[in-house]
C-alpha cells in the first residue's frame, strides 16, 4: 500500500506517494502548475485536495480548476478535465472568506466515483459535474441551485443536501429523481 497526498511545492502541484510503514517517499507525479503561490491563496489553503482511487485510476483535484486522472499502476496521465470557474480568483477568495451562515457555494466534497461516473463539485463553480471515469468526458452537469454538498450515490441516485431539503438526481443523466 501507499499513502497518497496532493501538495504544492515551488509552484508545482504534485501527487506524492509515501510508504505507510515509515513515511519515506516512494514516487511523485507532476499534476500541474499554480499561477498563485498557495501561501497567498487562503481559499486553497483551506480546501483539501484529496485524491480518490477507484477502478485502477487515481483522481487528483488540483484546486486550481483541474482534475487529473492517472493510471494507478504506471502513474501515467490518462486524462484531465478543466471546469471553467464561475467566479474570478479574486471573487472566489472574497466569497470564500465571507461569513454568511450556510455557504453560498459548494461545501468541499471529495470526488465521488460510482460505477464509471465521477462526480465533482468544484468550489469555484456553481455546478455539479458528472464525468466519464474512463476518458474524463463530461456526461452531464447541473446548476448548483441551493445545493450544499453531495452525500454520495445510492441505487443510481446522486443524493444532494440543500439548505432546507434533500434531493436526488439520476446518475445516468442528472435528471431530477425526487425531492
Amino acid at each position: 500500500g501507499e499513502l497518497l497526498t496532493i501538495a504544492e511545492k515551488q509552484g508545482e502541484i504534485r501527487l506524492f506517494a509515501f510508504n505507510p510503514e515509515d513515511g519515506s517517499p516512494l514516487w511523485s507525479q507532476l499534476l500541474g502548475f499554480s499561477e498563485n503561490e498557495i501561501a497567498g491563496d487562503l481559499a486553497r489553503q483551506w480546501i483539501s485536495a484529496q485524491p480518490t482511487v477507484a477502478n485502477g485510476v487515481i483522481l487528483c483535484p488540483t484546486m486550481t480548476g483541474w482534475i487529473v486522472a492517472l493510471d494507478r499502476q504506471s502513474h501515467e496521465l490518462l486524462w484531465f478535465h478543466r471546469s471553467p470557474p464561475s467566479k474570478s480568483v479574486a471573487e472566489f477568495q472574497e466569497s470564500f472568506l465571507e461569513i454568511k451562515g450556510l455557504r453560498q457555494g459548494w461545501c468541499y466534497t471529495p470526488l465521488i466515483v460510482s460505477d464509471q461516473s465521477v462526480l465533482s463539485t468544484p468550489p469555484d463553480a456553481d455546478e455539479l459535474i458528472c464525468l466519464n471515469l474512463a476518458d474524463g468526458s463530461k456526461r452531464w452537469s447541473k446548476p448548483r441551485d441551493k445545493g450544499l454538498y453531495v452525500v454520495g450515490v445510492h441505487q443510481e441516485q446522486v443524493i444532494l443536501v440543500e439548505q432546507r431539503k434533500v434531493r436526488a438526481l439520476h446518475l445516468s443523466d442528472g435528471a431530477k429523481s425526487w425531492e
Side-chain angles (χ1 to χ4, degrees), residues 1 3 5 9 11 14 19 27 32 38 43 45 55 63 69 71 85 88 105 144 147-148 160 176 179:
L3 297 175
T5 190
K9 184 177 181 180
R14 302 186 75 86
N19 182 325
W27 57 271
I38 196 165
Q45 289 178 30
N55 301 332
M63 294 308 159
D71 180 88
S88 72
R144 182 182 69 81
L148 295 174
L160 290 161
K176 183 171 135 181
E179 287 189 11

Side-chain angles (χ1 to χ4, degrees), residues 3-133:
L3 297 175
L4 299 174
T5 190
I6 298 169
E8 182 177 325
K9 184 177 181 180
Q10 299 174 336
E12 291 184 349
I13 301 170
R14 302 186 75 86
L15 175 67
F16 292 92
F18 297 95
N19 182 325
E21 300 297 323
D22 61 14
S24 62
L26 298 173
W27 57 271
S28 74
Q29 175 64 44
L30 179 66
L31 301 174
F33 299 93
S34 174
E35 294 177 13
N36 304 314
E37 287 190 26
I38 196 165
D41 190 336
L42 292 176
R44 284 195 307 130
Q45 289 178 30
W46 281 93
I47 300 171
S48 171
Q50 185 175 334
T52 300
V53 180
N55 301 332
V57 178
I58 306 171
L59 297 162
C60 304
T62 64
M63 294 308 159
T64 61
W66 293 91
I67 297 171
V68 179
L70 304 173
D71 180 88
R72 178 70 183 97
Q73 296 302 315
S74 69
H75 316 140
E76 292 180 5
L77 175 70
L78 295 175
W79 54 262
F80 53 88
H81 174 80
R82 168 81 169 138
S83 297
S86 60
K87 303 173 186 171
S88 72
V89 171
E91 289 173 323
F92 173 61
Q93 288 179 347
E94 183 178 313
S95 67
F96 181 83
L97 296 175
E98 290 178 13
I99 299 173
K100 297 182 180 177
L102 289 175
R103 293 188 36 144
Q104 299 300 311
W106 291 113
C107 296
Y108 175 71
T109 304
L111 297 173
I112 295 173
V113 177
S114 181
D115 192 28
Q116 290 296 309
S117 296
V118 179
L119 297 169
S120 173
T121 54
D124 60 344
D126 286 324
E127 64 180 346
L128 167 62
I129 302 166
C130 181
L131 304 173
N132 182 320
L133 179 62

